[in-house]
Amino acid sequence: MSGPNTEYDPVEVTPLQAAEVEAARDAALAAIAAAADLEQLKAVRLEHAGDRSALALANREIGALPPQARKEAGQRVGQARGAVNQALAARQAVLEVEHEERMLAEETVDVTLPTDRVPAGARHPLTTGAELIADIFVAMGWEIAEGPVMEAEWLNFDALNLGPDHPARTMQDTFWVAPADSGVVLRTQTSPVQARSMLTRTPPIYVACPGRVFRTDEYDATHSPVFHQVEGLAIDEGLTMAHLKGTLDHLVSSLFGEGISTRFRPSYFPFTEPSAEMDMVCFVCSGSTLDAEGTGPCRTCRGEGWIELGGCGVVNPRVLVACGVDPERYTGFAFGFGIDRMLMFRSGIDDLRAFWEGDVRFTTAFGSEL
Amino acid sequence: MKAPLSWIREHVDLPADLTTEQITDRLTALGLKLEAIESPGSEITGPLVVGRVLTQEPEPQKNGKTINWCTVDVGDANGTGEPQGIVCGAHNFGAGDLVVVVLPGGVLPGGFAISARKTYGHVSAGMICSAAELGISDDHDGIIVLPEGAGAPGDDARPLLGLDEEIIEFEINPDRAYALSIRGLAREAALGFDAPFRDPAARDVPAADDAGHPVVIDDPDGCPLFVARTVSGFDPTAPTPDWMVQRIVAAGMRPISLAVDVTNYVMLELGRPIHGYDADKVAGALRVRRAAAGERLTTLDGTERTLHPEDLVVCDDTGAIGLGGVMGGESTEISSSTTRVLVEAAHWDATSMFRTGKRQRISSEAGKRNERGVDPAITEAAADRVVELLVAHGGATAEPGVTVVGSVPARAAIEIDVDLPARVSGIAVDDATTVRHLEAVGCAVEVIGPRLRAVPPTWRPDLEDPFDLVEEVVRVVGYDQVPSVLPTPNAGRGLTRPQRLRRRIGRTLAAAGCVEVVSFPFVGDAALDALGLPADDARRATVPLANPMSSEEPGFTTTLLPGVLRQAGRNLSRGQAGVALFETGSVVVSSGPVKAPIYGVDRRPSEAELDALLAAVPAQPLHLAAVLAGEREPAGWWGPARTAGWSDALAIVRRLADELSVAVDIRPAALAPWHPGRCAEIVAVGGASPVVLGHAGELHPRVCAAHGLPARSAALELDLDALIAATPDVPPAPRFSTFPVAKEDVALVVADATPVADVEAALREGAGPLLESVRLFDVYRGEQIGAGRRSLAFALRFRAPDRTLTDEETTAARTAAVALAAERTGAEQRA
C-alpha cells in the first residue's frame, strides 16, 4: 500500500478544481434532466455517476491531496456527487412513474367485451322456493321431514282418517300403483309424511314436509298431475288453533312482508278437526282490493283482498290414535299449501306449465331472488 | 248447492235490510263456501213487461216461413197506451195469451239491443220473448206464455220470471250434507243471524197404517227406514207450475215432468231424495235387499247394469226394479201415461250409497245426498210433502194407506269437557257460550259438572267425535276470533346432513353452468327404447300405475334421463345453441309385485306391522341426471365455440365428488344410453367396499338423434342417495409439509387401450409416501411413439413431512414409480 502522494500539488490536479467539478456536476445534471426514459437514464448514470465518470475519477484523486486540501476537495466532490445521485434518484422516480403509466395505458383492454364463456346455470324456483320456506321453519326451531312419493295407501289415506269409503277419497283423484289393490299410491298430499313423523318420532314434534305430490288432474295453465306442497305438523302439549294461526302469520309475513297475516274460514278435512281454509292478505294490494293506480280491482287477488293459501286445522284425534300419539296428552295442528301456486302468485307466473317445460330462459330469470 | 235467496228467506226471518253479501259472508264464516252469486236478470235492461196478444195474423213469406204480425197490449209501458205492433216468428201462442215483451230500448243477454225496426213489411216495435232469449233456460221451443192471472199488461215481467232473483251457490263440504237443501241453508242463516227458523219439514204427517203399499226390508242395516205413499188420479199432462220450474232451474236441475219435478223439488227443499214409481207397473210388495251376484237391472238412464252383492236394490215380484237410493229402474219409470204414483222416501246407509255409486259410476243429485247422509227424521214428512204437491198440481188424490217400515236410528251422545272448545281453539269461550252454541246447532245438551253431554241432531250425521263439537262451537263463535300465538318449540337441529348436501349438490351443478329442470316421472316403452336400453336392462322394470295419465307412459320412471333429454331437445328447438340441464328426483326400479298391507286405525300398528308396511313401499333412490348438448362455451373474441362432449359430463362428476369429499374411481364402462367407447362408471372407493354411483359420458349417436340432440351430447346419471352416503361424516383436516417440494416429470409410453387411471395409480403406488401429487399434463401421439401408442407426461411432486429431500431420495422414488408403472401397464419411459 502506498502512502499519500505528498509530492502532488493539489492546485495542479485539474479534476479537483472547483470549475471542473462544477462543470462535471452541471453536465451530469443536464444529462439527467435530458434523459427521456429509463434506458437513457441508465446510460446517463453510467456516464456521470459510474466508476469512470468525471466525478468518480475526481473522487479518487482526493486521496492524493495533502491532508489540508482534502477536506475542501472532498466536500466539493462529495456535494457534487450527492447532487448528481439525488437528481438521478428523482429522475428515476419520475421516469418510473411515467413508464408505469405508459405501460398501463398500453395494456388497456375493452372491459365491455363479453366474458360469458360458460353460460350461467340456475336452480329451479320450485327447489329454491321450497328451501326458502324450509329455512323459515328451521328458523322457528322446526325440522324438515321427508317421505317417499310412492307411498303406502294406509299412510296416505287410512292413517289420516280417510277410510276406504270416505267421500274425501273421491275428492283426490289418486294414481294407484298397479294392481289397483296394491296398497300403494303416488302420494296425493304431503300429509303421509305427518303420519310417518308421528309413527317414528316422539313428541314434541315440529316438522315441515315439502315435497312432490300427484293427482290425476288434467295438465293445463292452472293444473298439473304433479305439483308441490309443503305440510306443517306440530304435536305438543297444550297446542291450540291460536298456535296454528301464529305459525302461519309468521310464515306469510316472512315470505311476503311485514303486515301480511292470515285468516281462517271453516272447512273440512278428514285429518283435522276443527278444519279451516287459510287465506292471506294479498301482498300486492295489502288487502285494499285495489290495483296500484287505485282505480281498478287488484289483479293479483282479483279484488278480493285475500289470497287462498291452503287448508289447516287441529289434528284429528283419530289420526293421533292411528299414529300412536296419546290424544289425551297431546294436541297438534297441521297445515298444507301448494308451493307452485304460491310461487305463481309471488312471481307473477301466469301459466303453471312454465315450471315443467324446462326452458332455461324461465329458470335462469329467478337468479338470486329465491 | 245453488238456491234462490228468496227461497231460503221463506224459511228464516232474516232482517229485510240484510244485503245478499252480508248473508253470504256470514254463511261463509260458518263454513259454507260461496262459489257465486248469480242474478239471471241482471243482463237484461230496459222495459221487460207483461203483454196481452190482441191480434195475431199469420203472414206467409216468400222464403217459405210464416211470420205472425201481432198487436200486443202492453198497458202504459210504451208511454202511449196504444197496442204495440210486433213481428214474431213463433207459433205456440195466440190472441188472448199473456206473453213477455221487451220494448225498444231494452237490452237482452249478450248485449242484444231492441229497437223498432222494419221487417217483413211492418215496423216491429219490440220482441215477444222465449225463455232462451231471456237467458232463463235453453228452451228455444217457443215464446213464454204466462198463466192467466199472472199479471196485467204493462207489469214488469221480471218478478214473474224469477229474473229479480239472486241465486247463491255454495260449495258444500262433505261433512255438511244437511246444507244440500233449502232447509239446511235456511237453518244456517238462522244460526248465523240468530233469526227464527221455520222448518219446512215440520208438518203433521198422517199416521202409519197397514193399508199402504206393502214394503219388506230384508236388510235393515242398508235401509233402516222406508216410507211409501201412493196417489192416484194423477194427470200426467199437468204442467209443472212456473214457480217450481224456476226454482228447479235456479238450483241447476232440469225440469222434466210434474211427477219428477215434484220429487226433485222436495229433495231440494228438504234434502231427502225421493223416488217415484209408476204404481201400476209395480208388481206386488216392495222388498229391499242386497243384490244377488250377477243380477241385472236396467236403470232410468237406459243402462243395463250387472249388480254387485253389496248393492242395495228395491224389488217387486219381478225382481230388482231400482238401485235403492242411487237410481230407479226403467221398468217402473213414470211416463206420460202414469196416473198412479208410488212415492218412496227411504233412509239408506251412506257407505252403501257411496260404494254403489262408485262401482256403478253413477253420480246423481240423489246419490250425492244419500252418500253423505240425510236427516232420517224427515222421511215421512218428505213423502207427505210430495203427496201434497202431486195432489195440488197434478189433480191426484192421496190414497189412504201410509206405509212406514223401520225407524229412525238413535244417536249416541258425545261427551266432552265443557272447556274443550276453549282448550283446543285458544279462544276464551266460557262454558255458557259453549252450551248455547251447541244448542243453536241443534244438539240436546246436558252439563254434568265439568263434563258436557250432547246428543247431536238427526240432520247432523257428521257429528260423532268430541272435536266435532269443538268445531261447531268455534265456527259459531267465529274463526276470526282465534288469536295469533307463535309456539315456542324446543330447539331444533337444523337441516339434516343429506338435506344440506342436496342443496350443495344443486348449487354445484348450477355453478357449473347447468340449469335445473323438473319433469313428470312417468315413462313408457317409447322413452326407454329411445335410450336404447336392452330388453334385460334393469331400468326396463318400471312399477306400473293402475291409472296412468297416458297409456304411452304407464310406469313410474326408473331413470331421470328421458326427462332431461326431452327438455334439452326442447331448448335447442327453441333456438338455444347449447344447453346444460340437470334434474334431481326419485326413481323406482321394480323388484316384483307391490303389495302393502292396510291396517285398522283404532290403534298404532305394532313395530312389526310398521316395519312390514314401510318395507312394502318400493325403494325410491334420489337420482341426479344432467345433459350437456351443443355449445358448452359459445364462440367469442376468445376463440371458436366449444361443443359439449364426454369430458364435460365427467368434469361435473369430478367436481361434485370433490365438493363432497368423496373419493371416486372413473372406470371405462359400456351402458346404454352412452356411447360404448365413451362411457364411464363412477365408483365411490372411500368406504369399506366400492359403490357404483352411476355413469357419465357421451351419449350414443342414435340416442342423440332420437332426442334431437347434436352429436357428442353428453349426459350423466348418479344415485344421489349413494353419493351422499359415501361422504365422510367429518372430513379430517389435512396435514401438509412446509419443506421444499421436489419436482420430477416423467413421460411414459403406453398402448392406447391402457387407461390413464391405471398408469397414474401405478405411479402413485410405486412412488410411495414421499409422493405429494401426480398430474397428467400432456398426451402425445406421433411417429416416434409408434401407432396404437401414446406418450403420457406426468408431473410428480415429492415432499417429506420432516426434511428437505435429497436428490437421491427423489430419484429413487421416481424410479420406483416408473418401475411399477412399467410392471403394471407395460409403460416404457420415453427417452
Side-chain angles (χ1 to χ4, degrees):
Chain A
M1 179 170 251
S2 61
N5 182 0
T6 49
E7 305 306 312
Y8 207 75
D9 177 2
V11 185
E12 298 303 317
V13 179
T14 316
L16 288 173
Q17 286 175 0
E20 289 293 326
V21 170
E22 280 162 22
R25 182 197 66 193
D26 291 347
L29 292 179
I32 289 166
D37 57 31
L38 289 169
E39 275 304 303
Q40 288 182 17
L41 190 65
K42 196 175 168 189
V44 168
R45 184 190 306 274
L46 204 63
E47 186 181 345
H48 293 281
D51 288 350
R52 309 203 56 78
S53 66
L55 288 174
L57 292 173
N59 195 46
R60 240 176 280 159
E61 296 299 331
I62 290 171
L65 292 180
Q68 66 275 22
R70 281 185 200 161
K71 189 180 175 190
E72 187 193 345
Q75 267 177 0
R76 182 155 60 235
V77 173
Q79 279 169 1
R81 294 185 79 190
V84 169
N85 283 335
Q86 219 169 13
L88 273 171
R91 186 65 184 150
Q92 175 80 20
V94 168
L95 288 177
E96 275 178 3
V97 169
E98 278 180 15
H99 174 74
E100 188 182 56
E101 283 173 355
R102 195 165 55 247
M103 286 301 295
L104 292 176
E106 284 169 4
E107 286 173 5
T108 298
V109 296
D110 179 359
V111 295
T112 69
L113 280 168
T115 55
D116 50 349
R117 206 160 160 162
V118 174
R123 300 171 74 211
H124 199 281
L126 285 170
T127 305
T128 47
E131 288 178 2
L132 178 69
I133 292 165
D135 287 346
I136 294 167
F137 283 107
V138 169
M140 289 193 283
W142 294 45
E143 293 184 4
I144 306 302
E146 290 154 347
V149 293
M150 195 175 279
E151 181 61 288
E153 178 185 356
W154 189 83
L155 290 166
N156 192 73
F157 289 125
D158 301 72
L160 301 169
N161 194 33
L162 282 140
D165 292 317
H166 205 291
R169 273 204 188 182
T170 60
M171 287 162 62
Q172 304 173 343
D173 294 329
T174 306
F175 285 107
W176 296 85
V177 166
D181 64 351
S182 65
V184 176
V185 300
L186 300 189
R187 66 180 179 194
T188 60
Q189 47 194 355
T190 39
S191 311
V193 186
Q194 280 187 27
R196 283 175 175 263
S197 298
M198 285 187 269
L199 286 163
T200 56
R201 295 171 183 238
T202 310
I205 298 168
Y206 290 84
V207 291
C209 333
R212 184 174 277 198
V213 299
F214 301 81
R215 293 190 198 167
T216 58
D217 277 333
E218 290 301 314
Y219 181 47
D220 62 29
T222 53
H223 298 88
S224 168
V226 188
F227 57 103
H228 301 79
Q229 276 188 343
V230 63
E231 186 99 3
L233 170 75
I235 303 284
D236 206 341
E237 290 178 28
L239 286 181
T240 72
M241 289 177 84
H243 295 115
L244 167 61
K245 181 154 169 44
T247 301
L248 292 168
D249 283 346
H250 181 75
L251 178 72
V252 296
S253 65
S254 300
L255 282 171
F256 293 96
E258 283 302 315
I260 304 299
S261 59
T262 57
R263 73 169 178 192
F264 290 161
R265 285 180 286 115
S267 188
Y268 171 75
F269 306 104
F271 26 90
T272 49
E273 187 77 32
S275 300
E277 295 278 348
M278 49 186 174
D279 300 334
M280 62 173 214
V281 173
C282 175
F283 61 93
V284 174
C285 70
S286 301
S288 78
T289 76
L290 298 175
D291 63 12
E293 293 77 40
T295 50
C298 171
R299 281 179 289 275
T300 300
C301 63
R302 296 199 197 90
E304 297 281 329
W306 295 89
I307 294 173
E308 280 186 37
L309 201 57
C312 61
V314 175
V315 178
N316 192 318
R318 291 182 186 229
V319 174
L320 298 182
V321 168
C323 296
V325 174
D326 179 0
E328 297 300 322
R329 179 173 173 194
Y330 294 104
T331 51
F333 63 79
F335 54 88
F337 55 86
I339 297 175
D340 317 52
R341 199 168 156 277
M342 172 175 279
L343 291 179
M344 287 176 79
F345 272 119
R346 198 167 183 269
S347 298
I349 300 164
D350 297 328
D351 193 324
L352 182 63
R353 288 170 292 200
F355 285 129
W356 296 100
E357 289 200 337
D359 196 312
V360 297
R361 293 169 296 178
F362 173 80
T363 310
T364 50
F366 289 88
S368 60
E369 193 277 324
L370 283 169
Chain B
M1 176 76 195
K2 278 173 77 174
L5 191 54
S6 63
W7 196 1
I8 298 170
R9 276 181 176 268
E10 252 179 39
H11 300 288
V12 54
D13 288 336
L14 296 179
D17 58 353
L18 276 184
T19 65
T20 304
E21 205 179 18
Q22 283 172 317
I23 295 170
T24 55
D25 280 356
R26 186 71 188 107
L27 291 176
T28 298
L30 283 173
L32 307 181
K33 190 179 175 214
L34 181 68
E35 283 284 292
I37 302 176
E38 289 173 21
S39 21
S42 64
E43 278 193 273
I44 302 172
T45 58
L48 182 74
V49 300
V50 176
R52 185 177 297 282
V53 181
L54 300 176
T55 63
Q56 185 205 37
E57 290 166 29
E59 294 181 358
Q61 301 295 313
K62 280 180 235 148
N63 62 9
K65 275 175 71 176
T66 298
I67 61 102
N68 288 308
W69 168 240
C70 306
T71 56
V72 184
D73 174 10
V74 294
D76 290 328
N78 55 6
T80 65
E82 294 297 314
Q84 197 83 355
I86 299 174
V87 170
C88 182
H91 302 280
N92 65 321
F93 66 103
D97 280 348
L98 278 183
V99 294
V100 177
V101 178
V102 58
L103 295 173
V107 180
L108 295 185
F112 183 38
I114 304 299
S115 58
R117 62 193 183 100
K118 236 181 139 162
T119 180
Y120 296 111
H122 299 282
V123 173
S124 182
M127 193 168 100
I128 305 176
C129 302
S130 72
E133 285 157 348
L134 295 176
I136 299 174
S137 76
D138 297 333
D139 186 3
H140 286 269
D141 285 352
I143 61 110
I144 298 168
V145 177
L146 297 170
E148 196 52 43
D155 286 356
D156 187 356
R158 287 179 176 82
L160 306 177
L161 299 170
L163 289 177
D164 56 344
E165 280 283 14
E166 279 186 304
I167 298 167
I168 53 182
E169 181 175 6
F170 289 105
E171 187 187 319
I172 306 298
N173 284 319
D175 61 335
R176 304 207 176 277
Y178 64 95
L180 291 169
S181 66
I182 298 299
R183 180 181 187 236
L185 293 175
R187 192 193 298 280
E188 285 294 279
L191 175 69
F193 293 99
D194 202 11
F197 168 65
R198 273 187 307 282
D199 188 349
R203 53 192 296 122
D204 290 331
V205 294
D209 55 32
D210 295 333
H213 194 98
V215 172
V216 179
I217 299 177
D218 285 349
D219 193 319
D221 291 333
C223 179
L225 177 61
F226 195 114
V227 176
R229 297 282 299 272
T230 310
V231 299
S232 50
F234 177 72
D235 174 6
T237 66
T240 306
D242 286 340
W243 58 266
M244 192 183 287
V245 169
Q246 284 165 21
R247 285 180 165 180
I248 288 172
V249 169
M253 297 183 73
R254 288 173 54 83
I256 293 167
S257 68
L258 177 62
V260 175
D261 293 348
V262 163
T263 57
N264 283 337
Y265 181 82
V266 173
M267 175 179 72
L268 292 169
E269 186 179 63
L270 302 181
R272 158 62 70 204
I274 307 278
H275 184 63
Y277 302 87
D278 184 329
D280 292 333
K281 295 181 190 163
V282 176
L286 294 181
R287 179 177 290 273
V288 181
R289 60 165 169 81
R290 301 279 171 178
E295 190 170 359
R296 297 179 81 80
L297 169 68
T298 303
T299 43
L300 281 177
D301 56 1
T303 306
E304 190 184 356
R305 300 174 185 276
T306 303
L307 305 181
H308 186 275
E310 278 186 12
D311 291 336
L312 282 162
V313 288
V314 179
C315 315
D316 65 2
D317 293 349
T318 67
I321 57 169
L323 263 178
V326 178
M327 190 177 272
E330 202 175 54
S331 67
T332 53
E333 184 178 4
I334 289 173
S335 70
S336 57
S337 59
T338 299
T339 58
R340 283 183 75 227
V341 179
L342 173 56
V343 177
E344 165 203 305
H347 188 65
W348 302 97
D349 171 56
T351 301
S352 290
M353 297 297 101
F354 174 76
R355 287 185 182 169
T356 296
K358 198 167 135 185
R359 206 158 34 224
Q360 299 289 351
R361 297 175 195 282
I362 297 174
S363 170
S364 67
E365 291 289 329
K368 191 163 84 181
R369 287 166 175 81
N370 279 328
E371 73 186 32
R372 295 178 187 209
V374 178
D375 183 355
I378 61 165
T379 312
E380 287 178 68
D384 192 56
R385 175 73 168 138
V386 170
V387 168
E388 176 190 55
L389 290 169
L390 290 176
V391 168
H393 302 288
T397 309
E399 291 186 7
V402 176
T403 304
V404 179
V405 178
S407 58
V408 177
R411 289 301 302 271
I414 307 169
E415 270 197 35
I416 60 169
D417 288 344
V418 186
D419 67 351
L420 187 68
R423 246 162 46 208
V424 172
S425 66
I427 309 172
V429 187
D430 61 43
D431 297 355
T433 304
T434 294
V435 171
R436 195 173 72 246
H437 288 341
L438 287 177
E439 285 174 344
V441 300
C443 293
V445 181
E446 191 185 352
V447 177
I448 309 149
R451 298 284 284 174
L452 177 154
R453 263 173 65 91
V455 179
T458 52
W459 62 87
R460 292 299 301 274
D462 60 300
L463 299 184
E464 294 180 304
D465 291 351
F467 276 44
D468 295 337
L469 298 184
V470 171
E471 182 175 271
E472 290 305 301
V473 172
V474 177
R475 78 183 177 103
V476 180
V477 170
Y479 274 36
D480 57 346
Q481 298 301 305
V482 175
S484 184
V485 179
L486 199 58
T488 49
N490 294 337
R493 285 161 297 189
L495 295 177
T496 63
R497 182 181 163 72
Q499 286 164 351
R500 280 185 284 113
L501 290 179
R502 288 203 295 269
R503 289 183 175 197
R504 179 144 184 193
I505 289 164
R507 284 195 286 266
T508 301
L509 268 293
C514 298
V515 176
E516 188 177 13
V517 295
V518 292
S519 310
F520 292 169
F522 306 128
V523 75
D525 284 341
L528 300 174
D529 291 345
L531 294 182
L533 302 190
D536 61 350
D537 192 295
R539 291 165 293 174
R540 290 266 181 197
T542 58
V543 170
L545 299 178
N547 54 337
M549 285 300 289
S550 152
S551 56
E552 308 287 308
E553 295 185 329
F556 197 92
T557 199
T558 54
T559 160
L560 300 181
L561 288 169
V564 291
L565 296 185
R566 191 179 309 143
Q567 306 217 36
R570 182 181 295 135
N571 274 286
L572 295 172
S573 75
R574 287 183 180 180
Q576 299 290 341
V579 67
L581 303 179
F582 77 101
E583 176 168 14
T584 61
S586 299
V587 303
V588 183
V589 173
S590 173
S591 54
V594 175
K595 184 70 189 172
I598 304 279
Y599 301 129
V601 291
D602 53 340
R603 62 167 176 84
R604 181 187 192 273
S606 68
E607 288 305 323
E609 286 171 332
L610 187 57
D611 288 348
L613 182 74
L614 299 182
V617 176
Q620 297 159 57
L622 189 72
H623 272 207
L624 163 73
V627 57
L628 303 114
E631 287 181 4
R632 176 70 168 138
E633 292 177 14
W637 52 271
W638 50 75
R642 192 177 69 74
T643 303
W646 66 271
S647 66
D648 293 292
L650 282 158
I652 287 172
V653 170
R654 287 183 204 271
R655 166 74 66 85
L656 212 47
D658 288 349
E659 285 275 345
L660 301 187
S661 303
V662 173
V664 294
D665 264 6
I666 310 283
R667 299 173 181 167
L671 183 76
W674 286 277
H675 184 310
R678 298 183 169 198
C679 172
E681 182 182 65
I682 319 301
V683 186
V685 292
S689 57
V691 178
V692 176
L693 300 178
H695 295 79
E698 191 175 297
L699 289 168
H700 194 289
R702 285 204 298 270
V703 173
C704 292
H707 292 87
L709 301 178
R712 308 285 172 224
S713 293
L716 63 95
E717 182 162 25
L718 300 179
D719 181 336
L720 282 192
D721 286 346
L723 177 65
I724 288 169
T727 56
D729 279 349
V730 182
R735 301 189 189 285
F736 43 80
S737 164
T738 52
F739 286 90
V741 66
K743 300 177 185 176
E744 292 277 340
D745 290 351
V746 295
L748 299 174
V749 177
V750 294
D752 275 346
T754 305
V756 168
D758 291 359
V759 182
E760 189 184 309
L763 285 174
R764 219 177 262 286
E765 190 182 330
L770 293 180
L771 184 75
E772 181 176 85
S773 70
V774 54
R775 179 174 174 79
L776 178 78
F777 68 90
D778 194 23
V779 178
Y780 175 78
R781 283 188 182 79
E783 279 179 24
Q784 306 99 303
I785 308 293
R789 283 153 47 100
R790 54 186 176 156
S791 167
L792 308 174
F794 292 94
L796 311 178
R797 292 161 64 90
F798 297 95
R799 200 173 342 221
D802 54 350
R803 63 189 189 280
T804 301
L805 290 175
T806 64
D807 288 351
E808 291 71 29
E809 286 177 301
T810 309
T811 305
R814 172 187 190 275
T815 305
V818 170
L820 193 64
E823 184 191 324
R824 292 263 176 85
T825 68
E828 296 166 18
Q829 189 158 11
R830 201 175 155 204

